[in-house]
Amino acid sequence: MSDKFIPNRLAFITLLAACSVILISMGLRQTFGLFFSAFEEGLNCTRTEFGLAIGLQMIFWGIFAPIFGYLADKFGGNKAVFIGFIIFGLGIYMLYAGPNTGIYFQLSLGLLVGIALGATAMSVPVSEVGKHFPNENRTIATGIVTAAASVGYFLAPLFTQYSLGNVGWEQTLRYFMYFILFGLIASVFLLPKKDEILKTDVKKQNFTEAMKEAFSHKGYILLLAGFFVCGFQITLVATHVPGYLQDRGLGGWTATILLALIGLFNIVGTLGIGYLGTKYSKKILLSILYFSRAIIISIFIFFPPSIYISVFFGITFGLLWLSTVPPTNGIVAQIFGTQYLSTLFGIVFLSHQIGSFAGAFLGGYFYDL
């Protein structure tokens, strides 16, 4: 590992900007499960409709992740993320100002917010930071950005639950607009790297050649499959566990505590995995992460629901929540270089979001069935 972790001032500014963008975008996205009861009462929304909206959000997030990734690779991540936050604000505005029922509910919460997440959440900010750091430090750098999402995961549910109880869902969504404005400003500083930086990580190939190489590589296909499973798991939990806990007689704050603990302990998990990725095989780390998730989910499902099991699940699953991102991004950059990193990681993330759609929609569909 090089003695100097941050290569230059440009990398430092980009790292801070990406952390701010991720904190806002992923933090707000994590709170939507807490709005179900309010939407059910205020908008006559069924659980199937809510699950469909979140499912659409996930799938459009995935579809637009490689599109915004390509725009980031060609024109700069700051421009792509700035556009994303404009769309994010429009989706939230429609959700509280209307029209916001029926197809318009799907359009605002599903389509517009989903498109916005394709630019602002995870793939573009993480990949833009990855371009500024050499391979030996990349997983730590991307782990720091991912940990910023965890800070958002911890703070946003607490604020949202408090705000919902005091001022209602419409005013809470209005508050969200101020956070989006902050993200919009931060996105301006998500600066593209200079041509001479990390030139050893850039392969001389065009876009078509890069895509052909990726899809002919067995490891890339396996990353696509693994991220599908990852998306199914975390979106099912974020969308439907709050309702599941309420159905089991546990109060609304139990779900809030669970989501907050996931965010808090994911800080430890992502930073830890980012460090371990500099020491050990990234693919072995991913295998351990996915196996551990299966064990923890099984315990949560088959043990009687209680506040203690919820706390246990929040802590342990939080350690694994977004910990898959640093090693996955690092593997893509290590194999294919950084020239089309945002695009290639965006495609991997599309697979993640297809799994997310299945987790969100099928969870609500099977419940109503």
Side-chain angles (χ1 to χ4, degrees):
M1 186 182 298
S2 62
D3 295 331
K4 190 177 181 182
F5 169 62
I6 298 178
N8 49 62
R9 181 182 175 187
L10 189 65
F12 179 67
I13 294 173
T14 303
L15 180 63
L16 288 181
C19 288
S20 300
V21 166
I22 285 278
L23 188 152
I24 296 298
S25 181
M26 296 294 283
L28 295 185
R29 180 265 164 274
Q30 183 75 350
T31 65
F32 292 130
L34 300 175
F35 282 88
F36 171 69
S37 296
F39 289 156
E40 184 180 36
E41 181 179 345
L43 302 176
N44 295 318
C45 175
T46 68
R47 196 165 301 213
T48 297
E49 290 172 333
F50 181 71
L52 176 60
I54 298 298
L56 288 173
Q57 183 186 107
M58 295 300 101
I59 201 71
F60 276 96
W61 179 0
I63 290 171
F64 278 84
I67 294 174
F68 279 113
Y70 176 76
L71 293 175
D73 288 332
K74 295 292 289 184
F75 305 109
N78 51 353
K79 297 179 179 66
V81 175
F82 188 89
I83 294 171
F85 271 120
I86 294 292
I87 299 171
F88 206 145
L90 179 60
I92 295 297
Y93 177 78
M94 281 187 60
L95 200 54
Y96 70 79
N100 54 10
T101 57
I103 188 65
Y104 296 106
F105 181 77
Q106 307 297 332
L107 178 64
S108 56
L109 183 59
L111 180 67
L112 290 175
V113 173
I115 291 173
L117 291 172
T120 61
M122 202 54 65
S123 57
V124 173
V126 167
S127 297
E128 289 301 298
V129 167
K131 293 175 182 179
H132 286 269
F133 288 80
N135 182 58
E136 60 266 25
N137 290 336
R138 188 173 291 123
T139 53
I140 296 181
T142 54
I144 291 172
V145 180
T146 310
S150 306
V151 176
Y153 278 177
F154 175 66
L155 296 176
L158 296 176
F159 168 80
T160 300
Q161 185 67 29
Y162 175 81
S163 182
L164 286 171
N166 284 272
V167 298
W169 66 273
E170 292 169 300
Q171 184 60 42
T172 300
L173 290 175
R174 289 189 182 96
Y175 289 149
F176 280 11
M177 296 293 283
Y178 293 105
F179 298 127
I180 290 171
L181 178 61
F182 177 81
L184 196 70
I185 296 171
S187 69
V188 175
F189 299 95
L190 196 64
L191 302 172
K193 71 180 182 66
K194 296 178 181 178
D195 292 340
E196 67 268 18
I197 299 174
L198 302 184
K199 59 185 178 181
T200 56
D201 280 344
V202 176
K203 294 185 176 182
K204 293 183 178 179
Q205 58 183 184
N206 59 37
F207 177 78
T208 303
E209 291 170 342
M211 295 303 106
K212 286 183 179 178
E213 180 189 5
F215 282 96
S216 63
H217 196 288
K218 178 183 176 182
Y220 189 73
I221 302 301
L222 291 174
L223 287 177
L224 292 174
F227 245 38
F228 173 90
V229 175
C230 178
F232 184 94
Q233 292 171 336
I234 68 173
T235 306
L236 180 68
V237 169
T239 305
H240 295 295
V241 161
Y244 165 79
L245 292 176
Q246 290 185 29
D247 289 344
R248 292 292 187 169
L250 299 173
W253 274 103
T254 302
T256 303
I257 291 170
L258 184 149
L259 294 177
L261 285 173
I262 285 175
L264 181 63
F265 281 87
N266 193 44
I267 300 172
V268 179
T270 52
L271 291 177
I273 288 296
Y275 172 75
L276 292 175
T278 67
K279 302 290 185 180
Y280 304 103
S281 166
K282 297 177 182 65
K283 64 179 181 180
I284 298 299
L285 290 174
L286 281 175
S287 298
I288 294 172
L289 285 172
Y290 285 126
F291 181 77
S292 300
R293 276 190 185 183
I295 298 298
I296 292 166
I297 290 174
S298 298
I299 292 173
F300 181 68
I301 291 173
F302 293 111
F303 274 65
S306 69
I307 182 65
Y308 303 107
I309 288 295
S310 299
V311 169
F312 166 79
F313 182 77
I315 293 173
T316 54
F317 203 71
L319 291 171
L320 310 173
W321 186 259
L322 295 178
S323 299
T324 57
V325 174
T328 300
N329 184 272
I331 289 172
V332 173
Q334 185 175 326
I335 297 174
F336 304 108
T338 60
Q339 184 177 5
Y340 294 104
L341 178 58
S342 293
T343 308
L344 289 170
F345 186 62
I347 293 171
V348 174
F349 203 76
L350 171 58
S351 177
H352 182 281
Q353 296 312 96
I354 294 173
S356 296
F357 173 83
F361 176 68
L362 291 178
Y365 176 74
F366 286 139
Y367 175 88
D368 286 339
L369 209 61

